[in-house]
């Protein structure tokens, strides 16, 4: 069996001396409170109530902020929220099918086309109509 070290004995003695000092200070304060007048005790009580009220208000604000912070740092939220956003974005994106642009008729490629005709070719619907008419003319 190991004998107690000198440090442990010293710590125990220091703690017991500290408790004795605390006890004597508390007794002195209790005696001084007994000597106070009623109006002074009332003022002290009111000041204490106001301090506790302010303390409780500040704690309620902190607790709300802490609650939100704790909620946001939960693993289910930190992993689930980005996954849910990714699914939502994937579903909401509209996929548009690319229309195949028909080939220009060979006759137009061989001849010189005026600038006005190029302006009309910019319109995709006109190009489609022109290609369909070319194909129907060949049939």
């Amino acid at each position: 069996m190991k004998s107690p070290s000198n440090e442990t004995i010293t710590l125990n003695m220091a703690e017991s001396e500290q408790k004795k000092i605390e006890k004597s200070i508390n007794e002195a304060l209790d005696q001084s409170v007994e000597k106070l007048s009623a109006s002074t005790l009332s003022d002290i009580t009111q000041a204490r109530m106001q301090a506790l009220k302010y303390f409780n208000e500040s704690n309620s604000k902190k607790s709300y902020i802490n609650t939100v912070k704790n909620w946001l740092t939960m693993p289910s939220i930190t992993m689930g929220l980005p996954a849910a956003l990714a699914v939502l974005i994937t579903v909401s994106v509209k996929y548009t099918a690319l229309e195949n642009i028909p080939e220009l008729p060979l006759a137009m490629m061989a001849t010189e086309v005026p600038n006005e005709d190029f302006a009309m070719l910019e319109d995709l619907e006109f190009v489609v109509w022109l290609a369909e008419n070319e194909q129907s003319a060949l049939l």
Side-chain angles (χ1 to χ4, degrees), residues 89-123:
I89 290 170
T90 303
V91 170
S92 66
V93 171
K94 293 182 180 177
Y95 295 101
T96 57
L98 295 176
E99 295 180 20
N100 292 334
I101 299 174
E103 295 180 20
L104 288 176
L106 292 176
M108 290 185 71
M109 300 298 279
T111 61
E112 290 185 24
V113 181
N115 289 338
E116 297 157 348
D117 290 343
F118 278 121
M120 289 188 343
L121 287 176
E122 290 178 358
D123 187 15

Side-chain angles (χ1 to χ4, degrees), residues 47-65:
R48 182 175 183 267
M49 296 300 273
Q50 287 178 349
L52 288 174
K53 182 180 176 184
Y54 176 76
F55 177 74
N56 289 336
E57 287 175 358
S58 65
N59 276 348
S60 66
K61 290 178 184 175
K62 288 180 183 176
S63 65
Y64 177 72
I65 292 170

Side-chain angles (χ1 to χ4, degrees), residues 60-74 77-78:
S60 66
K61 290 178 184 175
K62 288 180 183 176
S63 65
Y64 177 72
I65 292 170
N66 286 338
T67 302
V68 171
K69 185 188 293 185
N70 290 340
W71 183 78
L72 289 174
T73 57
M74 287 175 27
I77 298 298
T78 56

Side-chain angles (χ1 to χ4, degrees), residues 7-44:
E7 292 177 12
T8 307
I9 294 171
T10 307
L11 286 175
N12 287 340
M13 288 175 52
E15 288 177 6
S16 65
E17 288 178 17
Q18 183 178 358
K19 286 182 182 180
K20 287 179 186 177
I21 293 171
E22 286 177 3
K23 186 177 179 182
S24 64
I25 290 172
N26 285 335
E27 288 174 0
L29 288 172
D30 288 341
Q31 289 175 0
S32 68
V33 168
E34 290 173 1
K35 294 178 185 177
L36 293 175
S37 66
S39 64
T40 306
L41 288 175
S42 174
D43 292 341
I44 291 172

